[in-house]
Amino acid sequence: MRVFAQSVALCLGLVALQAAPGVAGSVPERLLLAVEEPIAGQFVSKQAVGYLCQIDVPYSQRWVPPILFIAHDPETGRVVVSDPIALFHNAGLPVTGKRASESPARISFTWNYPVGLNAQQTRKMLYRASIEKASGRATVTAIPAGFDSVFQAVGRCEAQALEELSAQP
């Protein structure tokens, strides 16, 4: 899980991001981010939380990512999402998101990015992840903008506090 903390802290902007090309191994290893250099003046607050979600995705729901990193810094409001689908469609970089809602029992995040082969076929994929804080149960939904299709799968997330030093090489 230390790799998870490092990857999510990187997403929050503690260090510059670059997708690690050609990293072999399991899905989490392929999502690792390489450290280039610190970004001056950007730190992770003490309240920052990272969520590592493993989602059981049936083939029919393939627009839902099987693994998902969500970094959330409540102090700044910054949310960054990294998953294999987003990395593929966003030039190997994580995408920004928003905290959609939060209650004592649950927190939800939304994000989107364009998908498609050319300008005429490009559509936004709209994502939402709802995480139950006590159990870690997660529901991830993907909706292609302008279509009636809804892709949804459930899984589990592990929340972990992020520390500034966890992202140091």
Side-chain angles (χ1 to χ4, degrees), residues 82-98:
S82 181
D83 68 67
I85 300 169
L87 292 173
F88 178 80
H89 289 284
N90 196 40
L93 298 173
V95 296
T96 59
K98 295 179 183 176

Side-chain angles (χ1 to χ4, degrees), residues 2 5-7 9-10 14-15 35 42-46 161-169:
R2 183 62 52 194
Q6 291 174 341
S7 297
L10 289 169
L14 182 59
V15 293
V35 175
Q42 291 189 359
F43 298 97
V44 176
S45 75
K46 299 233 183 267
L162 299 177
E163 300 173 7
E164 177 183 335
L165 297 178
S166 69
Q168 299 303 315

Side-chain angles (χ1 to χ4, degrees), residues 53-142:
C53 305
Q54 294 184 354
I55 310 299
D56 287 327
V57 183
Y59 183 76
S60 64
Q61 305 300 306
R62 62 192 166 275
W63 277 104
V64 176
I67 190 160
L68 177 65
F69 295 115
I70 301 174
H72 176 227
D73 187 343
E75 188 175 297
T76 64
R78 188 164 185 194
V79 174
V80 178
V81 179
S82 181
D83 68 67
I85 300 169
L87 292 173
F88 178 80
H89 289 284
N90 196 40
L93 298 173
V95 296
T96 59
K98 295 179 183 176
R99 186 191 71 195
S101 64
E102 185 171 11
S103 71
R106 177 182 314 237
I107 188 165
S108 296
F109 301 97
T110 60
W111 67 99
N112 65 69
Y113 47 84
V115 298
L117 300 176
N118 59 44
Q120 292 177 337
Q121 294 179 341
T122 300
R123 298 275 187 190
K124 281 194 180 209
M125 283 299 288
L126 311 172
Y127 285 88
R128 180 180 191 90
S130 295
I131 304 166
E132 294 177 9
K133 292 179 179 179
S135 67
R137 184 178 189 276
T139 302
V140 180
T141 305

